[in-house]
Amino acid sequence: MGLFDRFKKTDKKEKKERKPIPKDVEIDEDQLLLKKIATTDKDRYARAAAADQITDQYVALDMSKNVKDRAIRLIAINKVKDKDLLWDAAENSQFFDVRSFAYERLGENNKSIAEIVINTKKNPNVDEIFEKVVDEETLKWIAIEADDKRYRNGAVDKIESAQVLEDLVFKAKDNSIKITAINKENFKDENVLQKVAIDQKDENVKIAAINKINDEEKLAEIAKCEDNAKIRSLIFEKIDDKNILKEIILKSEKSDVRLDLVPNLDDEDLLTQIALNDKDNVVRSEAVKKISNEGTLLKIIKTDDDRFVRQIAVNNIENPKELIDIALNDSDQFVRNHAIKNPNLVDEKDYLEIVINSTNEDVANEAMKHISDEKAFIKILNEAKLENIRKSTLDNIDDLETLIRIVLANEDEEFSLKALNKINVESCLIKIYEQGISENISVRAVSKVRNQKFLTDVVNNEPQWRVREAAIKHIVSKKVLKETSLNDENEYVRNVAKKRLNL
């Protein structure tokens, strides 16, 4: 077996059999003095001469591990002969040149070369020894640890062992190295690829692994716990088995995963199951959008605790009677309003039913926006459960008989006065006045009349001064105005008559 074929298989065993380095070693004074000269003297020749005279291997080991002066530490490591001490230097020295030299002394040539390649910038001399490396464990070490990316890339390019490539993916810090390893032809174990896709954090590493997986069950397991929407989309594009997709949507703990799949479902039974049972309201709402069965939709409207889910269900209802029932009886104003706005509710009679029977003013007002027939407004005026809704109809009613009935009933004087304002037929106004309903109504009725005979009669005979004042304002007869200015018992009425005489 060649020099660069492999690491020695006995490393772990040898490490176990190595003697521990004693912590308290008795060192001769002359050796300590030589160490001091070798590490502190200002003259480099003196330092080198002192280092060369050191014979104590523990002193030499300590210097090889810690002295910054390269020449001194290499002289020191050359003094170390004990195999256990060499292993300690190889594994614990701060300096790669010492580690490399120690490995070489131990016959661990692959490790010796690796230390040089890993810690040196790319150059022709290092290239020459790197090209000789064929041991894949050594190449893996270089691919993971090399400072120069070109050596990392070169190392992974030379590795063919599937096991080494797999190990490299989980140990490398450079994601581009992981991707290169995954894309190697021999990296094809889908169990390992699945683990890479699940465990690795980098998106591109995950994608590289997923691109090589054909087993749809494995892809499904990845998707169930994947946070990245782009990766989930890639996975779902690779899965054709509808049963597998169904399992994902029913078993994934991640709502985003379930949400991704709902828009592509056409199985109404499955959509119903999701709409009724999924714990995430957004997922339920997406499922409800695709449901047409009214029995299911009504069940959702009655049972779901999320107003947005119920609102979407209402939007899909086609039966006007159901929409009327929701508008009248649902506990949530938001849902009730969506029932009214449903495009399947078009008949004015349906809106009229809502207005008349609603006990929610905002619902009734919303429904009334869809009514234009005056007869419907008159029906609302007479039958609506809400007083404010009944009164709000007046702007849409011009029917004279209805307006007169409102005034005569005078259940609410302000409302009666508004109705009276819409009456312009003098004969009707006179009849209203004659009923003596109230002073305010009499004043308003008289103020709208221009019949001089009637107005004169009011001025002469009406006992209430405010009503007389309303009449005198429209009298044109100078005679009547003069008599009133002199004879009316109310000063204010007299003054109004005087002012009109002077006009």
Side-chain angles (χ1 to χ4, degrees):
M1 191 168 287
L3 180 63
F4 303 103
D5 290 345
R6 60 176 175 81
F7 286 125
K8 289 189 175 182
K9 302 287 187 180
T10 56
D11 276 357
K12 290 184 180 179
K13 184 177 179 181
E14 286 184 359
K15 191 169 184 178
K16 288 180 182 178
E17 293 176 352
R18 290 177 213 155
K19 297 175 184 177
I21 307 300
K23 293 182 180 179
D24 298 317
V25 179
E26 191 172 329
I27 307 295
D28 291 342
E29 287 296 329
D30 66 320
Q31 294 294 298
L32 294 174
L33 180 59
L34 288 169
K35 176 184 176 183
K36 183 176 181 180
I37 295 170
T39 55
T40 63
D41 198 282
K42 294 182 179 180
D43 188 313
R44 64 175 187 153
Y45 295 107
R47 294 199 303 273
D52 193 48
Q53 293 178 55
I54 290 174
T55 57
D56 189 299
Q57 293 193 74
Y58 290 102
V59 173
L61 174 63
D62 179 67
M63 292 172 62
S64 71
K65 289 164 62 177
N66 300 301
V67 174
K68 291 182 179 180
D69 187 320
R70 183 172 184 272
I72 299 302
R73 66 176 178 259
L74 291 179
I75 292 172
I77 189 61
N78 197 43
K79 298 286 184 177
V80 179
K81 309 297 181 184
D82 183 89
K83 193 173 184 180
D84 290 332
L85 299 187
L86 283 170
W87 273 112
D88 186 69
E91 293 172 347
N92 299 310
S93 176
Q94 298 180 47
F95 310 101
F96 80 88
D97 49 6
V98 171
R99 297 194 300 269
S100 176
F101 186 69
Y103 278 131
E104 183 182 355
R105 293 278 302 280
L106 289 163
E108 296 287 342
N109 294 289
N110 288 322
K111 292 184 178 180
S112 177
I113 291 172
E115 285 286 2
I116 295 170
V117 174
I118 287 168
N119 294 284
T120 307
K121 290 295 181 184
K122 196 173 189 308
N123 66 73
N125 293 330
V126 179
D127 289 348
E128 185 177 351
I129 63 171
F130 174 66
E131 290 304 318
K132 296 177 182 178
V133 180
V134 293
D135 174 65
E136 296 203 347
E137 287 291 340
T138 302
L139 290 167
K140 179 181 74 175
W141 186 14
I142 294 169
I144 295 171
E145 299 291 347
D147 288 340
D148 195 307
K149 188 171 184 176
R150 290 168 291 184
Y151 286 134
R152 296 200 300 273
N153 290 333
V156 74
D157 285 342
K158 294 170 74 172
I159 298 172
E160 297 299 332
S161 166
Q163 184 174 349
V164 174
L165 289 169
E166 291 164 8
D167 196 31
L168 174 59
V169 168
F170 291 103
K171 292 182 178 178
K173 297 180 281 291
D174 185 338
N175 289 321
S176 67
I177 294 298
K178 296 179 182 183
I179 293 169
T180 302
I182 291 168
N183 289 332
K184 298 276 284 188
E185 185 178 353
N186 290 343
F187 198 131
K188 53 191 176 185
D189 186 327
E190 294 202 2
N191 289 320
V192 178
L193 288 164
Q194 180 187 18
K195 181 172 175 57
V196 171
I198 292 173
D199 292 351
Q200 293 294 304
K201 303 298 183 185
D202 184 77
E203 178 182 284
N204 293 322
V205 173
K206 286 174 171 283
I207 290 172
I210 289 166
N211 283 335
K212 296 188 75 172
I213 298 174
N214 295 312
D215 186 322
E216 294 191 1
E217 294 282 357
K218 288 183 170 57
L219 289 169
E221 289 303 314
I222 298 167
K224 285 178 187 177
C225 55
E226 179 55 56
D227 290 322
N228 188 308
K230 178 180 177 181
I231 292 174
R232 292 198 303 268
S233 178
L234 173 64
I235 292 171
F236 295 147
E237 286 176 5
K238 297 189 69 172
I239 297 177
D240 296 319
D241 190 325
K242 291 186 177 180
N243 289 327
I244 292 177
L245 292 174
K246 179 178 179 179
E247 182 184 12
I248 295 173
I249 202 167
L250 292 178
K251 294 186 178 180
S252 175
E253 290 298 317
K254 290 188 175 292
S255 59
D256 286 349
V257 174
R258 304 193 301 277
L259 186 61
D260 283 346
L261 287 172
V262 170
N264 298 320
L265 295 179
D266 53 15
D267 181 339
E268 184 140 335
D269 288 339
L270 178 56
L271 287 165
T272 298
Q273 188 175 350
I274 296 165
L276 292 172
N277 301 317
D278 197 279
K279 57 189 176 183
D280 186 272
N281 60 302
V282 179
V283 176
R284 294 199 306 278
S285 66
E286 286 301 311
V288 171
K289 288 178 183 178
K290 304 191 72 177
I291 293 174
S292 58
N293 182 279
E294 295 219 344
T296 302
L297 292 170
L298 291 170
K299 184 175 181 179
I300 292 166
I301 293 166
K302 291 176 181 176
T303 61
D304 201 290
D305 59 3
D306 186 274
R307 58 170 13 190
F308 293 100
V309 175
R310 292 164 55 223
Q311 166 249 305
I312 292 169
V314 167
N315 291 343
N316 286 355
I317 295 289
E318 295 182 359
N319 187 330
K321 290 190 178 299
E322 299 294 354
L323 291 169
I324 292 170
D325 181 68
I326 295 165
L328 291 175
N329 299 311
D330 196 273
S331 61
D332 191 297
Q333 175 59 41
F334 184 75
V335 176
R336 294 194 298 267
N337 281 347
H338 274 274
I340 297 170
K341 294 175 182 178
N342 186 303
N344 292 301
L345 198 64
V346 293
D347 195 320
E348 197 164 305
K349 291 180 180 178
D350 294 333
Y351 290 113
L352 178 59
E353 184 178 345
I354 293 171
V355 176
I356 289 174
N357 294 292
S358 179
T359 56
N360 294 284
E361 192 169 323
D362 43 7
V363 169
N365 280 323
E366 184 63 35
M368 198 149 58
K369 293 177 183 178
H370 300 271
I371 294 174
S372 58
D373 183 23
E374 186 180 33
K375 290 181 180 179
F377 284 110
I378 293 172
K379 190 173 179 65
I380 294 168
L381 172 68
N382 295 321
E383 299 179 17
K385 291 183 177 180
L386 296 172
E387 182 181 1
N388 285 344
I389 295 301
R390 293 197 301 273
K391 291 179 179 178
S392 67
T393 60
L394 198 55
D395 289 342
N396 299 285
I397 296 174
D398 294 311
D399 179 70
L400 185 58
E401 183 179 347
T402 301
L403 293 171
I404 292 172
R405 287 180 183 276
I406 294 171
V407 177
L408 294 177
N410 197 31
E411 294 176 353
D412 180 324
E413 188 170 73
E414 183 179 354
F415 186 53
S416 295
L417 289 169
K418 287 182 179 179
L420 183 56
N421 285 339
K422 300 189 74 175
I423 299 173
N424 295 308
V425 178
E426 287 199 344
S427 61
C428 294
L429 291 168
I430 292 170
K431 290 288 186 184
I432 290 171
Y433 163 75
E434 290 173 349
Q435 298 301 310
I437 299 167
S438 73
E439 182 180 358
N440 286 331
I441 288 177
S442 294
V443 169
R444 187 71 54 86
V446 168
S447 69
K448 292 169 68 69
V449 176
R450 297 294 180 269
N451 184 297
Q452 292 298 302
K453 183 178 182 305
F454 167 75
L455 293 174
T456 301
D457 186 59
V458 170
V459 169
N460 292 328
N461 300 304
E462 171 59 47
Q464 298 181 80
W465 71 267
R466 288 182 61 240
V467 180
R468 296 197 306 276
E469 181 266 339
I472 201 67
K473 285 181 178 180
H474 299 290
I475 291 289
V476 296
S477 169
K478 296 289 185 179
K479 180 181 178 182
V480 174
L481 290 170
K482 185 175 181 180
E483 289 177 355
T484 304
S485 68
L486 296 171
N487 301 319
D488 195 277
E489 63 183 31
N490 184 275
E491 182 180 0
Y492 183 76
V493 176
R494 292 196 303 272
N495 287 335
V496 172
K498 289 176 184 177
K499 287 180 182 178
R500 287 191 51 75
L501 279 171
N502 295 326
L503 290 176

